[in-house]
Amino acid sequence: MKRVQAACICQTLHFLLKEDVARDYALTLVKQEVEQYKKGLDQKHIQHKILEETAQPDGSILVKVIKQYNASPVGDYLD
């Protein structure tokens, strides 16, 4: 029999600008989307660690995150 001792998932998320709106508004929307994503992790009580958040030259944002996988224990992944 086996049991999961610790599990996390590492993701790189690319939050893109919407193409059908003005650039300034698209920049605002993408920042709001990133903040909403972070709040969602907190609201769902998902343990996580944001490793990097980088604004790209086109205004989009890259977020590298390690987060809890399902309800598995995270072990020392987030230390």
Side-chain angles (χ1 to χ4, degrees):
M1 180 173 189
K2 63 182 176 187
R3 292 189 188 259
V4 174
Q5 293 291 309
C8 281
I9 185 167
C10 182
Q11 293 180 322
T12 302
L13 305 168
H14 193 181
F15 293 87
L16 301 170
L17 298 176
K18 295 194 182 295
E19 296 180 10
D20 56 345
V21 297
R23 179 168 172 74
D24 290 340
Y25 184 57
L27 290 171
T28 301
L29 289 176
V30 78
K31 289 176 186 174
Q32 287 176 352
E33 187 178 5
V34 170
E35 290 307 312
Q36 190 174 28
Y37 174 76
K38 291 179 193 177
K39 285 180 186 176
L41 290 172
D42 290 335
Q43 288 173 347
K44 295 174 187 170
H45 305 289
I46 298 172
Q47 295 181 46
H48 66 283
K49 182 177 185 181
I50 295 180
L51 302 175
E52 187 177 332
E53 186 174 328
T54 310
Q56 301 300 297
D58 67 350
S60 63
I61 299 175
L62 276 179
V63 175
K64 292 183 181 180
V65 62
I66 296 176
K67 65 182 187 176
Q68 182 179 21
Y69 182 72
N70 294 334
S72 299
V74 296
D76 61 353
Y77 284 109
L78 301 179
D79 292 340

